[in-house]
Amino acid sequence: MFNHAPVDYFCLFCSLLAGEDDKRVYSKPADIIYQDDFVTAFIASHQLKNNPGLVIVIPNEHVENIYDLPDELSAKIHQLEKRLCIAVREAYPCVGNVIRQHNEPIEGAKCKGQDVLHYHLQIIPRYSDDRMYEYAEDGERYLMPEDERRQYVELLRDKLAL
Ligand SMILES: [Zn+2]
Protein backbone atom coordinates (compact mmCIF):
# COMPACT_ATOMS: atom_id res chain seq x y z
CA MET A 1 0.00 0.00 0.00
CA PHE A 2 1.35 3.47 -0.89
CA ASN A 3 4.54 1.90 -2.18
CA HIS A 4 7.17 3.79 -4.18
CA ALA A 5 9.83 1.22 -5.03
CA PRO A 6 10.07 0.46 -8.76
CA VAL A 7 9.97 -3.18 -9.86
CA ASP A 8 13.76 -3.29 -10.27
CA TYR A 9 14.45 -1.49 -6.97
CA PHE A 10 17.86 -2.26 -5.47
CA CYS A 11 17.25 -2.59 -1.72
CA LEU A 12 20.28 -1.65 0.37
CA PHE A 13 18.95 -3.47 3.43
CA CYS A 14 18.06 -6.70 1.62
CA SER A 15 21.56 -6.63 0.15
CA LEU A 16 23.05 -6.21 3.63
CA LEU A 17 20.92 -9.08 4.95
CA ALA A 18 22.03 -11.28 2.05
CA GLY A 19 25.67 -10.49 2.89
CA GLU A 20 26.33 -9.18 -0.61
CA ASP A 21 29.51 -7.21 -1.19
CA ASP A 22 28.10 -4.32 -3.21
CA LYS A 23 29.74 -0.90 -3.44
CA ARG A 24 26.39 0.80 -3.09
CA VAL A 25 25.91 -0.68 0.39
CA TYR A 26 27.87 1.15 3.07
CA SER A 27 26.52 -1.01 5.92
CA LYS A 28 28.47 -4.21 6.55
CA PRO A 29 27.59 -7.48 8.30
CA ALA A 30 30.02 -6.41 11.08
CA ASP A 31 27.67 -3.48 11.83
CA ILE A 32 24.99 -5.91 12.99
CA ILE A 33 24.27 -5.82 16.71
CA TYR A 34 21.45 -8.33 16.86
CA GLN A 35 19.73 -10.72 14.45
CA ASP A 36 17.14 -13.49 14.74
CA ASP A 37 14.80 -15.13 12.25
CA PHE A 38 12.58 -12.05 11.99
CA VAL A 39 14.47 -8.84 12.79
CA THR A 40 17.95 -7.31 12.53
CA ALA A 41 19.51 -4.32 14.30
CA PHE A 42 22.68 -2.57 13.19
CA ILE A 43 24.68 0.60 13.66
CA ALA A 44 23.84 2.97 10.80
CA SER A 45 26.61 3.75 8.32
CA HIS A 46 25.42 7.36 8.11
CA GLN A 47 25.00 9.19 11.37
CA LEU A 48 23.57 12.52 12.50
CA LYS A 49 26.18 15.15 13.28
CA ASN A 50 25.61 15.47 17.02
CA ASN A 51 23.92 12.11 17.73
CA PRO A 52 26.50 9.38 17.08
CA GLY A 53 25.51 5.78 17.72
CA LEU A 54 22.21 5.74 15.78
CA VAL A 55 20.77 2.21 15.54
CA ILE A 56 18.50 0.90 12.76
CA VAL A 57 16.01 -1.94 13.28
CA ILE A 58 14.57 -3.70 10.21
CA PRO A 59 12.39 -6.72 9.48
CA ASN A 60 14.35 -9.43 7.64
CA GLU A 61 11.46 -9.75 5.22
CA HIS A 62 11.29 -6.95 2.64
CA VAL A 63 8.37 -4.75 3.70
CA GLU A 64 8.42 -1.23 2.31
CA ASN A 65 6.69 0.71 5.06
CA ILE A 66 4.45 0.53 8.12
CA TYR A 67 1.28 0.21 6.03
CA ASP A 68 2.35 -3.26 4.96
CA LEU A 69 4.05 -4.37 8.18
CA PRO A 70 2.37 -7.48 9.64
CA ASP A 71 1.31 -7.04 13.29
CA GLU A 72 3.44 -9.97 14.50
CA LEU A 73 6.51 -8.43 12.90
CA SER A 74 5.66 -5.03 14.33
CA ALA A 75 5.52 -6.59 17.81
CA LYS A 76 8.94 -8.20 17.36
CA ILE A 77 10.44 -4.93 16.13
CA HIS A 78 9.08 -3.00 19.09
CA GLN A 79 10.19 -5.62 21.61
CA LEU A 80 13.72 -5.29 20.23
CA GLU A 81 13.37 -1.50 20.11
CA LYS A 82 12.74 -1.44 23.87
CA ARG A 83 15.76 -3.65 24.62
CA LEU A 84 17.94 -1.46 22.39
CA CYS A 85 16.70 1.80 23.93
CA ILE A 86 17.73 0.51 27.34
CA ALA A 87 21.07 -0.76 25.99
CA VAL A 88 21.75 2.60 24.29
CA ARG A 89 20.89 4.47 27.47
CA GLU A 90 23.16 2.26 29.55
CA ALA A 91 26.07 1.99 27.11
CA TYR A 92 26.37 5.52 25.69
CA PRO A 93 27.01 8.80 27.51
CA CYS A 94 23.58 9.94 26.26
CA VAL A 95 20.77 11.47 28.31
CA GLY A 96 17.82 9.89 26.45
CA ASN A 97 16.83 8.75 22.97
CA VAL A 98 14.21 9.27 20.29
CA ILE A 99 12.55 6.88 17.85
CA ARG A 100 12.03 7.89 14.23
CA GLN A 101 10.44 5.97 11.37
CA HIS A 102 9.62 7.54 8.00
CA ASN A 103 6.88 6.31 5.67
CA GLU A 104 7.20 7.42 2.03
CA PRO A 105 9.62 9.88 0.46
CA ILE A 106 8.55 13.54 0.76
CA GLU A 107 9.35 15.40 -2.44
CA GLY A 108 10.36 19.02 -2.16
CA ALA A 109 10.90 18.91 1.58
CA LYS A 110 14.21 19.65 3.28
CA CYS A 111 13.86 16.44 5.26
CA LYS A 112 13.12 14.02 2.45
CA GLY A 113 11.34 11.37 4.51
CA GLN A 114 11.93 7.72 3.73
CA ASP A 115 15.19 7.17 1.89
CA VAL A 116 15.61 3.37 1.88
CA LEU A 117 12.31 1.81 0.79
CA HIS A 118 12.50 -1.04 3.32
CA TYR A 119 10.78 -0.39 6.66
CA HIS A 120 13.35 0.84 9.19
CA LEU A 121 13.07 2.25 12.64
CA GLN A 122 15.80 4.52 13.97
CA ILE A 123 16.86 4.75 17.60
CA ILE A 124 18.65 8.06 17.96
CA PRO A 125 20.63 8.76 21.14
CA ARG A 126 20.12 12.23 22.57
CA TYR A 127 22.96 14.18 24.10
CA SER A 128 22.79 17.37 26.13
CA ASP A 129 22.50 20.39 23.87
CA ASP A 130 22.68 18.23 20.70
CA ARG A 131 20.31 20.55 18.76
CA MET A 132 19.07 17.42 17.04
CA TYR A 133 16.08 18.98 15.31
CA GLU A 134 18.32 21.62 13.78
CA TYR A 135 20.83 19.07 12.52
CA ALA A 136 18.58 16.14 11.68
CA GLU A 137 18.12 17.09 8.05
CA ASP A 138 19.56 14.98 5.26
CA GLY A 139 22.51 17.29 4.60
CA GLU A 140 23.76 16.88 8.14
CA ARG A 141 24.46 13.16 7.94
CA TYR A 142 27.99 11.88 7.68
CA LEU A 143 29.56 8.51 6.92
CA MET A 144 30.96 7.13 10.17
CA PRO A 145 34.21 5.19 9.67
CA GLU A 146 33.81 1.43 10.03
CA ASP A 147 36.16 1.11 13.01
CA GLU A 148 34.15 3.71 14.90
CA ARG A 149 30.91 1.88 14.08
CA ARG A 150 32.43 -1.33 15.50
CA GLN A 151 32.92 0.37 18.86
CA TYR A 152 29.21 1.10 19.12
CA VAL A 153 28.38 -2.44 17.98
CA GLU A 154 30.54 -3.90 20.75
CA LEU A 155 29.01 -1.63 23.39
CA LEU A 156 25.45 -2.65 22.48
CA ARG A 157 26.20 -6.34 21.97
CA ASP A 158 27.65 -6.46 25.47
CA LYS A 159 24.54 -4.82 26.95
CA LEU A 160 22.10 -7.06 25.05
CA ALA A 161 23.98 -10.13 26.23
CA LEU A 162 23.36 -9.29 29.91
ZN1 LIG B 1 14.58 -4.77 1.36
Side-chain angles (χ1 to χ4, degrees), residues 111-135:
C111 182
K112 300 187 186 325
Q114 189 174 5
D115 49 0
V116 179
L117 298 175
H118 179 133
Y119 175 99
H120 56 287
L121 179 148
Q122 304 173 36
I123 298 168
I124 305 171
R126 298 296 311 272
Y127 299 92
S128 296
D129 198 28
D130 59 16
R131 299 165 69 194
M132 187 195 128
Y133 286 97
E134 293 171 52
Y135 289 110

PDB file of all heavy atoms in Angstrom, residues 111-135:
ATOM      1  N   CYS A 111      13.693  17.793   4.740  1.00  0.00           N
ATOM      2  CA  CYS A 111      13.865  16.438   5.263  1.00  0.00           C
ATOM      3  C   CYS A 111      13.059  15.538   4.332  1.00  0.00           C
ATOM      4  O   CYS A 111      11.839  15.620   4.282  1.00  0.00           O
ATOM      5  CB  CYS A 111      13.344  16.341   6.702  1.00  0.00           C
ATOM      6  SG  CYS A 111      13.586  14.693   7.386  1.00  0.00           S
ATOM      7  N   LYS A 112      13.749  14.713   3.574  1.00  0.00           N
ATOM      8  CA  LYS A 112      13.117  14.020   2.450  1.00  0.00           C
ATOM      9  C   LYS A 112      12.347  12.751   2.809  1.00  0.00           C
ATOM     10  O   LYS A 112      11.988  11.972   1.934  1.00  0.00           O
ATOM     11  CB  LYS A 112      14.163  13.711   1.390  1.00  0.00           C
ATOM     12  CG  LYS A 112      14.818  14.996   0.857  1.00  0.00           C
ATOM     13  CD  LYS A 112      15.718  14.742  -0.294  1.00  0.00           C
ATOM     14  CE  LYS A 112      16.479  15.982  -0.742  1.00  0.00           C
ATOM     15  NZ  LYS A 112      15.765  17.254  -0.643  1.00  0.00           N
ATOM     16  N   GLY A 113      12.133  12.526   4.108  1.00  0.00           N
ATOM     17  CA  GLY A 113      11.338  11.374   4.514  1.00  0.00           C
ATOM     18  C   GLY A 113      12.072  10.068   4.325  1.00  0.00           C
ATOM     19  O   GLY A 113      13.280   9.972   4.546  1.00  0.00           O
ATOM     20  N   GLN A 114      11.345   9.065   3.853  1.00  0.00           N
ATOM     21  CA  GLN A 114      11.926   7.720   3.734  1.00  0.00           C
ATOM     22  C   GLN A 114      12.945   7.661   2.605  1.00  0.00           C
ATOM     23  O   GLN A 114      12.617   7.962   1.453  1.00  0.00           O
ATOM     24  CB  GLN A 114      10.808   6.698   3.517  1.00  0.00           C
ATOM     25  CG  GLN A 114      11.291   5.259   3.594  1.00  0.00           C
ATOM     26  CD  GLN A 114      10.147   4.251   3.529  1.00  0.00           C
ATOM     27  OE1 GLN A 114       8.987   4.607   3.331  1.00  0.00           O
ATOM     28  NE2 GLN A 114      10.480   2.990   3.689  1.00  0.00           N
ATOM     29  N   ASP A 115      14.162   7.269   2.925  1.00  0.00           N
ATOM     30  CA  ASP A 115      15.193   7.166   1.889  1.00  0.00           C
ATOM     31  C   ASP A 115      15.317   5.717   1.394  1.00  0.00           C
ATOM     32  O   ASP A 115      15.173   5.459   0.201  1.00  0.00           O
ATOM     33  CB  ASP A 115      16.542   7.713   2.377  1.00  0.00           C
ATOM     34  CG  ASP A 115      16.968   7.174   3.735  1.00  0.00           C
ATOM     35  OD1 ASP A 115      16.219   6.351   4.327  1.00  0.00           O
ATOM     36  OD2 ASP A 115      18.045   7.555   4.219  1.00  0.00           O
ATOM     37  N   VAL A 116      15.562   4.780   2.292  1.00  0.00           N
ATOM     38  CA  VAL A 116      15.607   3.372   1.879  1.00  0.00           C
ATOM     39  C   VAL A 116      14.180   2.827   1.966  1.00  0.00           C
ATOM     40  O   VAL A 116      13.530   2.925   3.012  1.00  0.00           O
ATOM     41  CB  VAL A 116      16.549   2.547   2.789  1.00  0.00           C
ATOM     42  CG1 VAL A 116      16.555   1.087   2.351  1.00  0.00           C
ATOM     43  CG2 VAL A 116      17.961   3.129   2.748  1.00  0.00           C
ATOM     44  N   LEU A 117      13.710   2.254   0.851  1.00  0.00           N
ATOM     45  CA  LEU A 117      12.307   1.812   0.788  1.00  0.00           C
ATOM     46  C   LEU A 117      12.149   0.390   1.328  1.00  0.00           C
ATOM     47  O   LEU A 117      11.612  -0.502   0.663  1.00  0.00           O
ATOM     48  CB  LEU A 117      11.798   1.946  -0.655  1.00  0.00           C
ATOM     49  CG  LEU A 117      11.818   3.391  -1.185  1.00  0.00           C
ATOM     50  CD1 LEU A 117      11.420   3.423  -2.661  1.00  0.00           C
ATOM     51  CD2 LEU A 117      10.916   4.304  -0.358  1.00  0.00           C
ATOM     52  N   HIS A 118      12.640   0.195   2.541  1.00  0.00           N
ATOM     53  CA  HIS A 118      12.497  -1.041   3.317  1.00  0.00           C
ATOM     54  C   HIS A 118      12.261  -0.532   4.740  1.00  0.00           C
ATOM     55  O   HIS A 118      13.099   0.233   5.267  1.00  0.00           O
ATOM     56  CB  HIS A 118      13.796  -1.868   3.205  1.00  0.00           C
ATOM     57  CG  HIS A 118      13.828  -3.163   3.954  1.00  0.00           C
ATOM     58  ND1 HIS A 118      14.276  -4.346   3.382  1.00  0.00           N
ATOM     59  CD2 HIS A 118      13.510  -3.484   5.237  1.00  0.00           C
ATOM     60  CE1 HIS A 118      14.226  -5.337   4.270  1.00  0.00           C
ATOM     61  NE2 HIS A 118      13.768  -4.823   5.409  1.00  0.00           N
ATOM     62  N   TYR A 119      11.127  -0.906   5.326  1.00  0.00           N
ATOM     63  CA  TYR A 119      10.784  -0.393   6.658  1.00  0.00           C
ATOM     64  C   TYR A 119      12.012  -0.358   7.560  1.00  0.00           C
ATOM     65  O   TYR A 119      12.722  -1.356   7.670  1.00  0.00           O
ATOM     66  CB  TYR A 119       9.716  -1.291   7.301  1.00  0.00           C
ATOM     67  CG  TYR A 119       9.379  -0.905   8.728  1.00  0.00           C
ATOM     68  CD1 TYR A 119       8.252  -0.140   9.013  1.00  0.00           C
ATOM     69  CD2 TYR A 119      10.199  -1.294   9.787  1.00  0.00           C
ATOM     70  CE1 TYR A 119       7.949   0.223  10.318  1.00  0.00           C
ATOM     71  CE2 TYR A 119       9.909  -0.930  11.090  1.00  0.00           C
ATOM     72  CZ  TYR A 119       8.781  -0.181  11.354  1.00  0.00           C
ATOM     73  OH  TYR A 119       8.497   0.181  12.642  1.00  0.00           O
ATOM     74  N   HIS A 120      12.263   0.774   8.201  1.00  0.00           N
ATOM     75  CA  HIS A 120      13.349   0.837   9.189  1.00  0.00           C
ATOM     76  C   HIS A 120      13.024   1.849  10.272  1.00  0.00           C
ATOM     77  O   HIS A 120      12.496   2.918  10.008  1.00  0.00           O
ATOM     78  CB  HIS A 120      14.698   1.125   8.541  1.00  0.00           C
ATOM     79  CG  HIS A 120      14.761   2.377   7.710  1.00  0.00           C
ATOM     80  ND1 HIS A 120      14.157   2.494   6.476  1.00  0.00           N
ATOM     81  CD2 HIS A 120      15.393   3.545   7.933  1.00  0.00           C
ATOM     82  CE1 HIS A 120      14.411   3.693   5.981  1.00  0.00           C
ATOM     83  NE2 HIS A 120      15.150   4.356   6.859  1.00  0.00           N
ATOM     84  N   LEU A 121      13.317   1.424  11.464  1.00  0.00           N
ATOM     85  CA  LEU A 121      13.067   2.253  12.641  1.00  0.00           C
ATOM     86  C   LEU A 121      14.425   2.695  13.182  1.00  0.00           C
ATOM     87  O   LEU A 121      15.352   1.890  13.298  1.00  0.00           O
ATOM     88  CB  LEU A 121      12.306   1.404  13.666  1.00  0.00           C
ATOM     89  CG  LEU A 121      11.921   1.989  15.002  1.00  0.00           C
ATOM     90  CD1 LEU A 121      10.605   1.360  15.458  1.00  0.00           C
ATOM     91  CD2 LEU A 121      12.996   1.698  16.036  1.00  0.00           C
ATOM     92  N   GLN A 122      14.530   3.986  13.475  1.00  0.00           N
ATOM     93  CA  GLN A 122      15.802   4.521  13.966  1.00  0.00           C
ATOM     94  C   GLN A 122      15.710   4.813  15.456  1.00  0.00           C
ATOM     95  O   GLN A 122      14.733   5.418  15.907  1.00  0.00           O
ATOM     96  CB  GLN A 122      16.135   5.834  13.248  1.00  0.00           C
ATOM     97  CG  GLN A 122      16.173   5.733  11.740  1.00  0.00           C
ATOM     98  CD  GLN A 122      16.347   7.098  11.095  1.00  0.00           C
ATOM     99  OE1 GLN A 122      17.038   7.966  11.598  1.00  0.00           O
ATOM    100  NE2 GLN A 122      15.695   7.286   9.957  1.00  0.00           N
ATOM    101  N   ILE A 123      16.726   4.383  16.186  1.00  0.00           N
ATOM    102  CA  ILE A 123      16.863   4.747  17.597  1.00  0.00           C
ATOM    103  C   ILE A 123      18.007   5.751  17.654  1.00  0.00           C
ATOM    104  O   ILE A 123      19.156   5.414  17.339  1.00  0.00           O
ATOM    105  CB  ILE A 123      17.172   3.517  18.467  1.00  0.00           C
ATOM    106  CG1 ILE A 123      16.016   2.519  18.369  1.00  0.00           C
ATOM    107  CG2 ILE A 123      17.430   3.932  19.914  1.00  0.00           C
ATOM    108  CD1 ILE A 123      16.328   1.156  18.950  1.00  0.00           C
ATOM    109  N   ILE A 124      17.662   6.976  17.998  1.00  0.00           N
ATOM    110  CA  ILE A 124      18.649   8.062  17.956  1.00  0.00           C
ATOM    111  C   ILE A 124      18.998   8.480  19.386  1.00  0.00           C
ATOM    112  O   ILE A 124      18.116   8.935  20.121  1.00  0.00           O
ATOM    113  CB  ILE A 124      18.088   9.274  17.179  1.00  0.00           C
ATOM    114  CG1 ILE A 124      17.619   8.838  15.776  1.00  0.00           C
ATOM    115  CG2 ILE A 124      19.127  10.387  17.097  1.00  0.00           C
ATOM    116  CD1 ILE A 124      16.863   9.914  15.011  1.00  0.00           C
ATOM    117  N   PRO A 125      20.253   8.317  19.787  1.00  0.00           N
ATOM    118  CA  PRO A 125      20.626   8.756  21.137  1.00  0.00           C
ATOM    119  C   PRO A 125      20.596  10.280  21.227  1.00  0.00           C
ATOM    120  O   PRO A 125      20.959  10.959  20.259  1.00  0.00           O
ATOM    121  CB  PRO A 125      22.051   8.212  21.304  1.00  0.00           C
ATOM    122  CG  PRO A 125      22.569   8.045  19.915  1.00  0.00           C
ATOM    123  CD  PRO A 125      21.387   7.735  19.056  1.00  0.00           C
ATOM    124  N   ARG A 126      20.136  10.776  22.351  1.00  0.00           N
ATOM    125  CA  ARG A 126      20.122  12.233  22.570  1.00  0.00           C
ATOM    126  C   ARG A 126      21.210  12.608  23.560  1.00  0.00           C
ATOM    127  O   ARG A 126      21.392  11.929  24.570  1.00  0.00           O
ATOM    128  CB  ARG A 126      18.754  12.697  23.108  1.00  0.00           C
ATOM    129  CG  ARG A 126      17.561  12.448  22.199  1.00  0.00           C
ATOM    130  CD  ARG A 126      17.624  13.207  20.885  1.00  0.00           C
ATOM    131  NE  ARG A 126      17.940  14.632  21.024  1.00  0.00           N
ATOM    132  CZ  ARG A 126      17.026  15.582  21.222  1.00  0.00           C
ATOM    133  NH1 ARG A 126      15.753  15.273  21.261  1.00  0.00           N
ATOM    134  NH2 ARG A 126      17.387  16.841  21.358  1.00  0.00           N
ATOM    135  N   TYR A 127      21.891  13.674  23.246  1.00  0.00           N
ATOM    136  CA  TYR A 127      22.957  14.185  24.101  1.00  0.00           C
ATOM    137  C   TYR A 127      22.593  15.605  24.507  1.00  0.00           C
ATOM    138  O   TYR A 127      21.880  16.305  23.767  1.00  0.00           O
ATOM    139  CB  TYR A 127      24.294  14.164  23.356  1.00  0.00           C
ATOM    140  CG  TYR A 127      24.710  12.763  22.923  1.00  0.00           C
ATOM    141  CD1 TYR A 127      24.368  12.270  21.663  1.00  0.00           C
ATOM    142  CD2 TYR A 127      25.431  11.933  23.776  1.00  0.00           C
ATOM    143  CE1 TYR A 127      24.731  10.980  21.268  1.00  0.00           C
ATOM    144  CE2 TYR A 127      25.795  10.644  23.396  1.00  0.00           C
ATOM    145  CZ  TYR A 127      25.444  10.175  22.137  1.00  0.00           C
ATOM    146  OH  TYR A 127      25.797   8.907  21.759  1.00  0.00           O
ATOM    147  N   SER A 128      23.095  16.021  25.655  1.00  0.00           N
ATOM    148  CA  SER A 128      22.789  17.370  26.130  1.00  0.00           C
ATOM    149  C   SER A 128      23.164  18.392  25.056  1.00  0.00           C
ATOM    150  O   SER A 128      24.239  18.309  24.480  1.00  0.00           O
ATOM    151  CB  SER A 128      23.590  17.670  27.406  1.00  0.00           C
ATOM    152  OG  SER A 128      23.190  16.803  28.423  1.00  0.00           O
ATOM    153  N   ASP A 129      22.252  19.313  24.811  1.00  0.00           N
ATOM    154  CA  ASP A 129      22.501  20.395  23.865  1.00  0.00           C
ATOM    155  C   ASP A 129      22.902  19.899  22.468  1.00  0.00           C
ATOM    156  O   ASP A 129      23.754  20.483  21.803  1.00  0.00           O
ATOM    157  CB  ASP A 129      23.608  21.332  24.419  1.00  0.00           C
ATOM    158  CG  ASP A 129      23.592  22.677  23.702  1.00  0.00           C
ATOM    159  OD1 ASP A 129      22.515  23.088  23.216  1.00  0.00           O
ATOM    160  OD2 ASP A 129      24.656  23.308  23.610  1.00  0.00           O
ATOM    161  N   ASP A 130      22.299  18.776  22.011  1.00  0.00           N
ATOM    162  CA  ASP A 130      22.680  18.231  20.698  1.00  0.00           C
ATOM    163  C   ASP A 130      22.031  18.976  19.523  1.00  0.00           C
ATOM    164  O   ASP A 130      22.423  18.793  18.381  1.00  0.00           O
ATOM    165  CB  ASP A 130      22.369  16.737  20.609  1.00  0.00           C
ATOM    166  CG  ASP A 130      20.895  16.403  20.816  1.00  0.00           C
ATOM    167  OD1 ASP A 130      20.047  17.304  20.737  1.00  0.00           O
ATOM    168  OD2 ASP A 130      20.603  15.216  21.062  1.00  0.00           O
ATOM    169  N   ARG A 131      21.022  19.785  19.804  1.00  0.00           N
ATOM    170  CA  ARG A 131      20.310  20.555  18.763  1.00  0.00           C
ATOM    171  C   ARG A 131      19.862  19.628  17.628  1.00  0.00           C
ATOM    172  O   ARG A 131      19.958  19.973  16.446  1.00  0.00           O
ATOM    173  CB  ARG A 131      21.220  21.676  18.239  1.00  0.00           C
ATOM    174  CG  ARG A 131      21.596  22.651  19.357  1.00  0.00           C
ATOM    175  CD  ARG A 131      22.748  23.552  18.984  1.00  0.00           C
ATOM    176  NE  ARG A 131      22.398  24.517  17.944  1.00  0.00           N
ATOM    177  CZ  ARG A 131      23.298  25.218  17.263  1.00  0.00           C
ATOM    178  NH1 ARG A 131      24.581  25.073  17.499  1.00  0.00           N
ATOM    179  NH2 ARG A 131      22.902  26.068  16.350  1.00  0.00           N
ATOM    180  N   MET A 132      19.389  18.451  18.022  1.00  0.00           N
ATOM    181  CA  MET A 132      19.067  17.424  17.040  1.00  0.00           C
ATOM    182  C   MET A 132      18.104  17.872  15.946  1.00  0.00           C
ATOM    183  O   MET A 132      18.298  17.572  14.772  1.00  0.00           O
ATOM    184  CB  MET A 132      18.489  16.202  17.750  1.00  0.00           C
ATOM    185  CG  MET A 132      18.283  15.039  16.811  1.00  0.00           C
ATOM    186  SD  MET A 132      17.226  13.795  17.509  1.00  0.00           S
ATOM    187  CE  MET A 132      16.056  13.655  16.165  1.00  0.00           C
ATOM    188  N   TYR A 133      17.074  18.603  16.314  1.00  0.00           N
ATOM    189  CA  TYR A 133      16.079  18.978  15.306  1.00  0.00           C
ATOM    190  C   TYR A 133      16.567  20.101  14.391  1.00  0.00           C
ATOM    191  O   TYR A 133      15.943  20.390  13.378  1.00  0.00           O
ATOM    192  CB  TYR A 133      14.738  19.304  15.967  1.00  0.00           C
ATOM    193  CG  TYR A 133      14.062  18.029  16.428  1.00  0.00           C
ATOM    194  CD1 TYR A 133      14.176  17.587  17.749  1.00  0.00           C
ATOM    195  CD2 TYR A 133      13.374  17.219  15.528  1.00  0.00           C
ATOM    196  CE1 TYR A 133      13.600  16.394  18.154  1.00  0.00           C
ATOM    197  CE2 TYR A 133      12.801  16.032  15.922  1.00  0.00           C
ATOM    198  CZ  TYR A 133      12.911  15.626  17.233  1.00  0.00           C
ATOM    199  OH  TYR A 133      12.347  14.434  17.618  1.00  0.00           O
ATOM    200  N   GLU A 134      17.700  20.684  14.720  1.00  0.00           N
ATOM    201  CA  GLU A 134      18.324  21.624  13.784  1.00  0.00           C
ATOM    202  C   GLU A 134      19.250  20.889  12.831  1.00  0.00           C
ATOM    203  O   GLU A 134      19.465  21.310  11.707  1.00  0.00           O
ATOM    204  CB  GLU A 134      19.153  22.667  14.549  1.00  0.00           C
ATOM    205  CG  GLU A 134      18.323  23.601  15.404  1.00  0.00           C
ATOM    206  CD  GLU A 134      19.212  24.441  16.298  1.00  0.00           C
ATOM    207  OE1 GLU A 134      20.146  25.077  15.777  1.00  0.00           O
ATOM    208  OE2 GLU A 134      18.978  24.438  17.523  1.00  0.00           O
ATOM    209  N   TYR A 135      19.812  19.777  13.305  1.00  0.00           N
ATOM    210  CA  TYR A 135      20.832  19.074  12.518  1.00  0.00           C
ATOM    211  C   TYR A 135      20.344  17.753  11.933  1.00  0.00           C
ATOM    212  O   TYR A 135      21.125  17.029  11.355  1.00  0.00           O
ATOM    213  CB  TYR A 135      22.065  18.815  13.389  1.00  0.00           C
ATOM    214  CG  TYR A 135      22.824  20.067  13.693  1.00  0.00           C
ATOM    215  CD1 TYR A 135      22.847  20.597  14.968  1.00  0.00           C
ATOM    216  CD2 TYR A 135      23.514  20.727  12.684  1.00  0.00           C
ATOM    217  CE1 TYR A 135      23.548  21.752  15.234  1.00  0.00           C
ATOM    218  CE2 TYR A 135      24.212  21.890  12.935  1.00  0.00           C
ATOM    219  CZ  TYR A 135      24.230  22.404  14.225  1.00  0.00           C
ATOM    220  OH  TYR A 135      24.907  23.538  14.479  1.00  0.00           O
TER     221      TYR A 135
END
